[in-house]
Amino acid sequence: MHRKGWCVLPALVAAWVVMVSGCRPEPEGSVHILGRFEQSASDVTRVSVTLTAADQEPLTLELVKVTSEWSGALERTPADKAYTFTTEGFGADGTKRYAGKATDIYLPSGEAIQVAITLRPFVSQP
């Protein structure tokens, strides 16, 4: 004789553990990034953007050139946070030539936002 009720017990225990532990999926959103140059930037071969927020590891994305603009997207990005976007444009020799920044950009949960950043010539400070 086999009891069918015992087959449900492991599933109930697992559900209870999840409820008690407070495991909830982290809120997510997506970010579409557009990098534009203040002036002609034919010497740029690579553009990267780094997202930083409190209590989170930085996220870095290499943008892709489409006509005269550089773009990229980060899907499933932790949401309900304010981010700083730091963008850098590099020449073929790896030298940083352009930089741009956008601060306090809020990503709401379940939303897709677009961030446009203007890159200006980078002047290194002594």
Side-chain angles (χ1 to χ4, degrees):
M1 183 166 165
H2 185 70
R3 292 185 179 178
K4 292 184 181 180
W6 287 103
C7 295
V8 177
L9 185 60
L12 290 174
V13 169
W16 179 80
V17 168
V18 168
M19 287 175 24
V20 171
S21 68
C23 291
R24 294 187 180 116
E26 185 173 353
E28 296 176 338
S30 61
V31 181
H32 301 274
I33 303 159
L34 184 62
R36 298 179 176 142
F37 290 88
E38 184 177 67
Q39 62 190 43
S40 176
S42 59
D43 57 340
V44 173
T45 59
R46 183 173 67 90
V47 175
S48 68
V49 61
T50 301
L51 284 69
T52 54
D55 301 327
Q56 179 182 312
E57 291 293 317
L59 301 170
T60 300
L61 172 69
E62 296 292 322
L63 301 182
V64 176
K65 186 175 183 180
V66 179
T67 61
S68 63
E69 299 176 331
W70 294 75
S71 64
L74 284 169
E75 306 294 332
R76 302 184 63 182
T77 304
D80 295 333
K81 298 178 184 233
Y83 284 94
T84 294
F85 293 74
T86 304
T87 308
E88 300 173 314
F90 299 91
D93 61 355
T95 302
K96 180 165 60 168
R97 300 182 188 277
Y98 297 87
K101 185 179 273 192
T103 59
D104 295 323
I105 306 297
Y106 185 74
L107 176 59
S109 180
E111 298 289 324
I113 63 170
Q114 183 169 347
V115 178
I117 303 171
T118 300
L119 287 90
R120 293 177 174 82
F122 175 73
V123 179
S124 62
Q125 298 179 9

